[in-house]
Amino acid sequence: VDIRNCSEYNLIHTLQSPSGDYLPKAIAQKFKRTNVLQLIRMNPKDIIRLHPASLETMRLSNLTITERRALHQHLEPMVGREWQKQSGGNSIHGTVKSGCDPFMERKWTWYHMMRTNFKEKLEQFERHCDMYPLEDHK
């Protein structure tokens, strides 16, 4: 399903899953309003060819940890490694070699920022879980 070209109405009322269910309104709105989630539905080979400006305009705010993890898992194996390789990027600090393609540098910078943000949010969540174990919520 090409989420980008569907309206919220079509996502909610006309697109039926194999189980016969329709997409809940809240999820359809989230897909349409958080355009970075559309990357999850794209072929990684197509993502590699995106213009850096297309990536830089995608909102990474207000994503849940699950959404951040899905985005990271979808991009990391092929896209992240390819951008790192083409930019000469350093996987630890997100730095790039001077003289590399400026478009690749921008893509690698965007990916590194997205990955770093995911890891920070995950560490914050894990610290919270350590401080307040599930057993204390019963």
Side-chain angles (χ1 to χ4, degrees):
V1 176
D2 189 4
I3 302 283
R4 179 178 44 201
N5 294 326
C6 290
S7 68
E8 281 183 27
Y9 179 86
N10 285 347
L11 289 174
I12 298 167
H13 299 290
T14 62
L15 294 175
Q16 200 171 14
S17 72
S19 67
D21 293 335
Y22 292 96
L23 199 60
K25 183 177 181 179
I27 292 177
Q29 288 175 334
K30 180 89 173 191
F31 268 125
K32 291 301 289 180
R33 295 174 186 176
T34 313
N35 57 0
V36 73
L37 293 176
Q38 293 173 12
L39 289 177
I40 296 170
R41 301 284 300 172
M42 288 179 69
N43 186 326
K45 292 177 183 177
D46 295 333
I47 298 170
I48 289 172
R49 293 190 307 262
L50 283 177
H51 192 279
S54 298
L55 296 167
E56 293 164 348
T57 60
M58 293 185 172
R59 295 180 52 213
L60 291 170
S61 59
N62 297 327
L63 294 176
T64 66
I65 290 177
T66 303
E67 292 164 343
R68 290 176 193 276
R69 177 177 281 131
L71 188 60
H72 179 264
Q73 290 297 320
H74 183 64
L75 297 178
E76 193 268 334
M78 185 178 210
V79 178
R81 290 182 184 153
E82 181 66 23
W83 287 343
Q84 180 185 2
K85 183 175 71 175
Q86 290 185 17
S87 71
N90 180 320
S91 62
I92 298 172
H93 301 291
T95 57
V96 295
K97 293 179 184 175
S98 60
C100 73
D101 178 8
F103 282 177
M104 280 303 132
E105 180 179 343
R106 287 171 58 190
K107 290 177 183 183
W108 170 245
T109 301
W110 179 87
Y111 172 78
H112 186 265
M113 184 236 0
M114 182 272 311
R115 183 182 68 182
T116 302
N117 190 290
F118 161 63
K119 290 183 178 185
E120 288 172 356
K121 297 290 184 185
L122 184 60
E123 287 173 7
Q124 182 182 15
F125 176 74
E126 289 171 344
R127 280 194 309 272
H128 174 82
C129 289
D130 290 342
M131 287 175 55
Y132 306 101
L134 186 59
E135 301 82 43
D136 294 349
H137 293 286
K138 292 180 181 180

